Amino acid sequence: MPEPQPPIETATWYEVVLKQKYNDPQKLKSSLDSMYGQGRYKVKIKASRYILQLPEPPHEDRIAEIERTISFHYKED
């Protein structure tokens, strides 16, 4: 298992509001950890929506992958 990466300090975070409402933060965390690394992103919740703060500009395909993962997990539970 890879070593956790240290948190990054950045003056700029790129925010993305996920379209799906989602109620399982552990599955979302697992997906984000695999994409960005543990501690290398932030997540806020506002009005039952997840707001991702990413250290790099988000790529549409990566956000779409997160949305598909959320949708899949949401339908499975």
Side-chain angles (χ1 to χ4, degrees), residues 11-40:
T12 303
W13 288 99
Y14 299 90
E15 286 196 344
V16 176
V17 178
L18 298 181
K19 297 173 190 171
Q20 299 283 335
K21 287 187 178 184
Y22 193 57
N23 60 2
D24 190 340
Q26 190 57 43
K27 289 180 182 175
L28 177 61
K29 180 185 181 311
S30 177
S31 294
L32 292 170
D33 284 352
S34 70
M35 289 181 181
Y36 292 99
Q38 190 173 23
R40 298 184 59 82

Side-chain angles (χ1 to χ4, degrees), residues 4-69:
Q5 298 176 353
I8 58 171
E9 295 298 323
T10 181
T12 303
W13 288 99
Y14 299 90
E15 286 196 344
V16 176
V17 178
L18 298 181
K19 297 173 190 171
Q20 299 283 335
K21 287 187 178 184
Y22 193 57
N23 60 2
D24 190 340
Q26 190 57 43
K27 289 180 182 175
L28 177 61
K29 180 185 181 311
S30 177
S31 294
L32 292 170
D33 284 352
S34 70
M35 289 181 181
Y36 292 99
Q38 190 173 23
R40 298 184 59 82
Y41 60 86
K42 296 180 183 182
V43 179
K44 297 190 295 186
I45 302 171
K46 188 171 185 176
S48 298
R49 300 265 185 210
Y50 282 86
I51 302 168
L52 307 182
Q53 293 181 313
L54 307 174
E56 58 192 33
H59 299 285
E60 285 186 37
D61 57 334
R62 193 164 254 194
I63 298 306
E65 182 180 344
I66 293 169
E67 290 282 356
R68 279 192 304 275
T69 300

